[in-house]
Amino acid sequence: MSQSRDASTSPLGNPNHAIDLALFGALGDLALRKLFPALYHLDREGLMPESTRIMGLARQEHDATTFRQEVEAALHKRLKADEQDKVSLKRFLGRLDYRQLNFTSAKGFETIKAWREGAPRPMVVYLSVGAKIYGDICHNLQASGSLDDETRVIVEKPIGSDLVSSQQINDAIGAVFPESRIYRIDHYLGKETVQNLIALRFANPLFGTQWNQNHISHVEITVAEKVGIEGRWGYFDDAGQLRDMVQNHLLQLLCLIAMDPPSNLDADAIRDEKVKVLKALKPFTGDALGRDVVRGQYIAGTTDGQPVPGYLEEDDANTQSQTETFVAMKTEVSNWRWAGVPFYLRTGKRMPEKLSQIVIHFRQQPHYIFDPDQRGIAANKLIIRLQPEEGIALQVLTKDSGLHKGMRLRPGPLHLDFNSAFPKSRIPDAYERLLLEVMKGQQYLFVRRDEVEYAWRWCDQLIEGWQNRDTPPRRYPAGSWGPVASIAMITQDGRSWYEDY
Ligand code: BG6
C-alpha cells in the first residue's frame, strides 16, 4: 500500500478511510464508556466504510458473541434513546470480533496476523491499556509479523510520570512505529470548542489583530470537575492533578491560546507552533513556586447538597497522602507576543461545578471617561466555554438603559451558544472526532513526542520544587472553588477569577 494513503496531511483528510481496528483493552472502562459509543456514532453517521472491522482484545474469556453482548449492553447504557436504532446497532455489532490475549506475552499475537491476512485496509492499533505495557504490545505485534508499513498506533495519556519515564515509553513505541504513525491522544483536542479555538483565532481578523500583550491583560484557564476520584485512588494518588490534568489538557489549551499562527493546517505546522509555546513557558525559580503556585487537597464537604468524604477518606486511601487534587498557578509565556501577560491556570476535583473555560481579558481603553466607580468593569472579555455547554461569549460594555441611569455602563454578552445557534447539529464527543482523524490518517489533533516531553520538562521542575519544599497541600472543602490561597494568588495582582457560574 502506498505511503501517501498512510500519512495524508491534507486537513480535508482521506475520504477512503476503511481500516481494521485492533482494540487492546476492549473490555476496559475507557473502551466501554467512550470508545464503543464513539465508534457507533461514526458508523451511524455514515463515516465508517462498510469494510471496516473491529477486533476486541482483552484477557477475559469471551467469544465474539458474548463480547458483542457486553458491548451492546454498554451502548444501551451510554447512548440516548433516540440515538439507538436497530439497523445501526446491528450493523455496528456485526463488525466486532474478539480474541482473548495476554498482552505481555508474545504467545497468541499470531492471531492478529491471521486476522489481517490479505486484508486490503491499513490496521489501526488502539492501546487502551496502561502505558507501562505499550512497549511490550508494540514489540509483540512486530515480532508476530502482524504489522506492515501502514499500521498506525493510538496511545492514551498519561505517557509516563516524568520526562525520563515518558522518554522510555516513547522510545519503546518509536522502536516499532515511526512518529508519522503514532497518534498520542489528549482527548481535549477532540472537543469541538477546542478545535474552534483555531477557527476563532485564525479566521477572525477582529481577534487576530488583538491577540497579543498590547491588547490582552491576562488569560484564565479553568478546568474544574465536580467528581472526586471515582474509584481510581491507586492511579490518581501516584499522579495528582498536575500530572493528570495540567501536563496534558491545560497545557494543550494554553498552547492553542498562545501559539503563533501556523503557516497552514498541517499537523506539523500546528505542532511546531505549540512546541514553541511550551519551550517559552517560564520556569518557577526562586520564590515563584511559593508565590505563584497553590496545591490543594479536598477535605470532606458537600456536592449537590450531599455530604461527600475528603480525599484521604475515599475508598483505599492512604491517609498520609500529600497528593494534590487541585492546582492553581500563574505562569507566563516568555516571548514578544506575551511578555508581561499572566496566564492563570486552575484545575481541581470536587469543585462546585463541572466547568472548563478560558477567559481572555482585554486591556482597558488608554483613557477612561465614565463613572470612576465602574472603572473595574470597563474592559472586554472573551469567554470560551468548553463544558458543560459549549459556546463563546464576548463581553462588551453598553449603556445601561433607563431615564435614571445617566451614562452608566452595563457589561453584557454577545453570545454564541452552539446548541441553540446550531440546534440541528449534535456536538460529537471528543473521541468521535479523534477516531475519525486516525482513520483518515490526520495527525493535527494528536500530540507529538516533543510536545509531551517539553510539557514534562516544565512539570518536572514544579514537582521537584514541591518535593524540595516538602510543604503539604492546602485543604479545601469538597464543593468549594479550592484553597483560599488560590484566590489570594490572583487578587494580589488586583484581579479575580472570572465567576459567572
Ligand atoms: C482525564 C483525567 O484525562 O480527564 C481525569 O485522567 C479527568 O481525571 C478527565 O476526570 C476529565 O475529562 P473531561 O472530558 O470530563 O473534562
Side-chain angles (χ1 to χ4, degrees):
M1 284 166 219
S2 76
Q3 187 65 19
S4 60
R5 218 179 68 191
D6 164 46
S8 152
T9 52
S10 157
L12 295 177
N14 175 3
N16 174 20
H17 53 257
I19 55 153
D20 278 344
L21 177 66
L23 176 50
F24 286 78
L27 290 166
D29 180 62
L30 179 73
L32 295 175
R33 206 162 43 84
K34 289 282 186 186
L35 304 182
F36 286 115
L39 289 162
Y40 166 80
H41 275 299
L42 291 177
D43 194 354
R44 185 163 176 257
E45 302 258 342
L47 292 166
M48 194 180 275
E50 272 316 305
S51 53
T52 286
R53 304 180 298 171
I54 301 169
M55 171 67 79
L57 298 148
R59 281 166 203 265
Q60 287 89 329
E61 266 184 46
H62 269 304
D63 58 24
T65 309
T66 51
F67 175 62
R68 285 189 195 122
Q69 283 162 353
E70 193 143 339
V71 173
E72 188 174 6
L75 289 175
H76 283 312
K77 202 163 141 198
R78 297 280 157 196
L79 299 173
K80 294 189 188 135
D82 63 356
E83 293 170 344
Q84 306 184 23
D85 65 81
K86 282 198 180 127
V87 177
S88 305
L89 273 170
K90 189 166 175 239
R91 185 180 58 237
F92 178 69
L93 294 170
R95 297 175 186 274
L96 306 186
D97 203 344
Y98 182 80
R99 300 281 189 280
Q100 183 188 10
L101 193 62
N102 175 359
F103 300 162
T104 51
S105 145
K107 215 169 119 230
F109 271 72
E110 58 287 347
T111 188
I112 299 172
K113 183 173 187 230
W115 176 58
R116 290 278 299 148
E117 214 75 71
R121 303 163 287 275
M123 175 162 70
V124 171
V125 175
Y126 197 130
L127 303 185
S128 178
V129 297
K132 283 193 184 129
I133 60 169
Y134 289 169
D136 287 341
I137 297 179
C138 292
H139 173 81
N140 291 339
L141 280 166
Q142 187 176 51
S144 63
S146 307
L147 306 179
D148 60 33
D149 62 5
E150 289 197 283
T151 311
R152 301 162 208 162
V153 64
I154 309 178
V155 291
E156 278 286 337
K157 69 158 266 270
I159 299 191
S161 54
D162 56 17
L163 176 63
V164 172
S165 55
S166 78
Q167 284 171 330
Q168 284 161 357
I169 294 166
N170 279 325
D171 282 346
I173 305 169
V176 175
F177 292 96
E179 187 64 31
S180 63
R181 291 195 267 121
I182 302 173
Y183 292 74
R184 294 183 192 81
I185 288 208
D186 180 315
H187 77 277
Y188 268 55
L189 295 180
K191 290 183 192 268
E192 198 76 358
T193 323
V194 175
Q195 290 158 56
N196 239 320
L197 288 174
I198 294 182
L200 184 78
R201 286 201 51 203
F202 304 127
N204 291 290
L206 176 68
F207 296 126
T209 54
Q210 306 293 303
W211 215 260
N212 56 51
Q213 44 83 20
N214 289 323
H215 303 283
I216 291 176
S217 73
H218 62 289
V219 176
E220 276 178 58
I221 303 177
T222 293
V223 179
E225 292 183 83
K226 195 148 81 171
V227 293
I229 299 311
E230 294 192 296
R232 296 190 307 157
W233 215 90
Y235 155 74
F236 188 85
D237 199 59
D238 283 343
Q241 198 72 355
L242 184 84
R243 292 185 173 98
D244 189 45
M245 297 294 287
V246 178
Q247 191 271 345
N248 33 77
H249 307 323
L250 276 91
L251 287 186
Q252 283 293 328
L253 295 178
L254 187 150
C255 284
L256 291 172
I257 290 294
M259 72 189 206
D260 276 354
S263 55
N264 54 48
L265 285 179
D266 286 356
D268 280 334
I270 294 177
R271 300 187 297 183
D272 285 348
E273 295 305 332
K274 288 200 283 171
V275 166
K276 285 185 204 159
V277 174
L278 292 168
K279 283 173 155 171
L281 278 177
K282 204 164 163 179
F284 292 94
T285 50
D287 298 340
L289 196 65
R291 193 187 54 231
D292 296 338
V293 186
V294 176
R295 298 170 74 213
Q297 189 185 73
Y298 66 83
I299 54 173
T302 53
T303 291
D304 293 333
Q306 299 300 316
V308 291
Y311 179 68
L312 301 181
E313 296 136 25
E314 298 273 10
D315 291 345
D316 304 327
N318 155 16
T319 54
Q320 303 305 310
S321 170
Q322 300 214 347
T323 296
E324 78 286 348
T325 59
F326 172 97
V327 196
M329 62 179 75
K330 175 168 101 168
T331 183
E332 209 180 299
V333 179
S334 302
N335 62 20
W336 278 52
R337 186 186 284 272
W338 294 112
V341 178
F343 282 72
Y344 298 97
L345 314 186
R346 157 175 85 152
T347 179
K349 307 271 186 233
R350 281 278 183 236
M351 313 213 67
E353 298 283 337
K354 179 162 181 72
L355 173 83
S356 301
Q357 81 182 1
I358 299 164
V359 186
I360 312 290
H361 295 259
F362 290 92
R363 288 193 191 282
Q364 297 192 335
Q365 297 282 37
H367 178 60
Y368 180 77
I369 56 175
F370 299 93
D371 288 347
D373 68 313
Q374 292 202 291
R375 198 177 182 120
I377 62 163
N380 300 124
K381 297 178 186 65
L382 179 67
I383 300 133
I384 303 161
R385 182 71 60 87
L386 312 181
Q387 46 195 21
E389 75 285 10
E390 304 193 280
I392 295 169
L394 178 64
Q395 198 170 95
V396 294
L397 293 149
T398 52
K399 180 193 163 304
D400 203 356
S401 48
L403 290 173
H404 305 287
K405 301 283 174 54
M407 188 50 91
R408 294 289 290 175
L409 299 174
R410 176 180 58 183
L414 286 178
H415 191 215
L416 176 60
D417 172 341
F418 290 0
N419 279 324
S420 47
F422 312 114
K424 289 222 175 68
S425 47
R426 183 181 67 85
I427 294 186
D429 182 74
Y431 278 95
E432 293 173 44
R433 162 65 60 194
L434 295 173
L435 282 159
L436 182 62
E437 296 304 323
V438 183
M439 290 179 191
K440 291 178 179 172
Q442 296 296 320
Q443 285 189 306
Y444 75 108
L445 294 179
F446 297 86
V447 185
R448 205 168 59 189
R449 175 173 181 158
D450 50 352
E451 289 180 76
V452 176
E453 294 182 358
Y454 277 108
W456 273 126
R457 225 178 273 268
W458 186 76
C459 287
D460 279 0
Q461 45 97 31
L462 256 167
I463 295 167
E464 216 176 284
W466 284 340
Q467 279 161 358
N468 293 340
R469 287 166 67 95
D470 197 25
T471 39
R474 295 168 194 269
R475 311 294 170 202
Y476 64 97
S480 73
W481 285 101
V484 180
S486 66
I487 297 164
M489 182 188 83
I490 189 166
T491 47
Q492 75 199 4
D493 293 347
R495 298 173 173 136
S496 59
W497 296 104
Y498 176 74
E499 293 188 350
D500 188 25
Y501 12 84

